[in-house]
Amino acid sequence: MPIPKWKIKGIVDDHDTCGCCGRRGLKRTVAMMPLDADGNEDGTAEDVVYYGTSCAATALSWTQAKVTDTARTAQAERDQRDNWARRIISIYAPVEFAPVHDKARVYYGRNQHQRDTGVKATEKVAKLLTEARATLADTTTGPARPSRIEDFRRYVVIFNRDGGISLVRRVPEEEAERQEQAAAAQRRAEKIRGRLLVVAALDAEAARDVAYADNLTREWNTKAWQATHA
Ligand SMILES: [Zn+2]
């Protein structure tokens, strides 16, 4: 089999013109990265082309159904990587400039099997954050996604009696709404005899991770929120 000239990166709805034949008004287009002769990605987001599914099918000698399936799978994988990146940043960005001792406790607390392997927490945290930020900055299939501590939002998290999360809600910006929500959350927590936490994170999924994290991770999370939103 010949090596394909393109790799499908996803399916997008913000490019409505086929980069191959110029047809306009397409509902969505397929993002394709050029490959070199060995089948390695040959370029950056700037080199990605956006083709309609029929032109993409022709370029790859595939059926349109295979193009669509592959594009949807690639897009779902990217969304998962984005979710991973938001969790990594929500957990580790607040300890990025923390004392090494705290950083190590946060890292090894989540990676206990590495504790005695000589893995340096500082390097690991730096590497994870670099990768996570690059993931969210990748514009291949859409605009860059928020990735800074300044982009964190606060979430109220209610735990049930068994320690599982019963509810996650974004904390409103407006003071009166915020007080109303806090009171309602308190009532609910009491009713189910659970407990309540407020954490900062890039999204609600990442907020769950922060809420489940150890006290030290959450202390730094609170500090980071206060430092950027004081
Ligand atoms: Zn076309």
Side-chain angles (χ1 to χ4, degrees):
M1 286 237 319
I3 293 168
K5 290 196 183 83
W6 304 98
K7 181 177 179 190
I8 291 182
K9 301 291 285 182
I11 192 157
V12 302
D13 53 17
D14 57 348
H15 286 260
D16 66 350
T17 303
C18 176
C20 179
C21 67
R23 198 173 142 202
R24 289 170 183 280
L26 300 169
K27 269 215 191 88
R28 53 190 70 85
T29 50
V30 178
M32 302 202 299
M33 176 75 85
L35 299 179
D36 66 18
D38 299 320
N40 303 310
E41 290 191 15
D42 189 19
T44 63
E46 266 133 66
D47 303 296
V48 167
V49 300
Y50 300 88
Y51 283 10
T53 45
S54 73
C55 284
T58 306
L60 285 156
S61 307
W62 287 2
T63 63
Q64 283 196 47
K66 185 175 174 184
V67 166
T68 308
D69 282 354
T70 306
R72 291 224 169 96
T73 304
Q75 191 64 38
E77 281 166 4
R78 199 207 75 170
D79 292 343
Q80 277 177 12
R81 283 197 303 278
D82 280 3
N83 289 338
W84 169 84
R86 281 189 278 267
R87 292 202 305 272
I88 290 293
I89 291 170
S90 299
I91 292 282
Y92 291 119
V95 293
E96 187 171 17
F97 303 108
V100 174
H101 178 74
D102 279 11
K103 204 187 297 193
R105 272 177 63 198
V106 165
Y107 181 77
Y108 290 123
R110 307 180 66 77
N111 300 278
Q112 306 224 359
H113 58 286
Q114 292 180 6
R115 196 180 285 274
D116 297 317
T117 60
V119 172
K120 290 207 179 82
T122 301
E123 286 167 25
K124 271 286 183 184
V125 168
K127 198 165 162 246
L128 284 169
L129 285 172
T130 302
E131 197 181 330
R133 285 169 182 146
T135 298
L136 295 174
D138 183 287
T139 54
T140 308
T141 62
R145 280 78 63 209
S147 65
R148 304 165 311 153
I149 290 177
E150 287 82 351
D151 300 314
F152 282 17
R153 298 288 172 260
R154 274 193 309 177
Y155 294 86
V156 57
V157 179
I158 300 178
F159 285 88
N160 59 38
R161 282 168 69 188
D162 308 325
I165 289 175
S166 148
L167 182 126
V168 179
R169 286 270 189 282
R170 169 99 180 259
V171 173
E173 306 284 340
E174 210 262 314
E175 180 60 28
E177 276 177 57
R178 190 155 63 217
Q179 283 178 11
E180 200 176 304
Q181 185 199 56
Q186 191 61 50
R187 281 196 300 276
R188 183 177 164 129
E190 277 163 21
K191 196 173 160 198
I192 62 170
R193 288 200 268 159
R195 67 197 172 87
L196 194 122
L197 274 181
V198 176
V199 299
L202 283 174
D203 70 357
E205 272 309 301
R208 288 171 175 269
D209 264 39
V210 177
Y212 277 130
D214 58 288
N215 290 339
L216 186 64
T217 304
R218 281 188 287 100
E219 271 170 39
W220 280 100
N221 181 270
T222 305
K223 274 186 216 169
W225 168 269
Q226 286 166 349
T228 48
H229 294 84

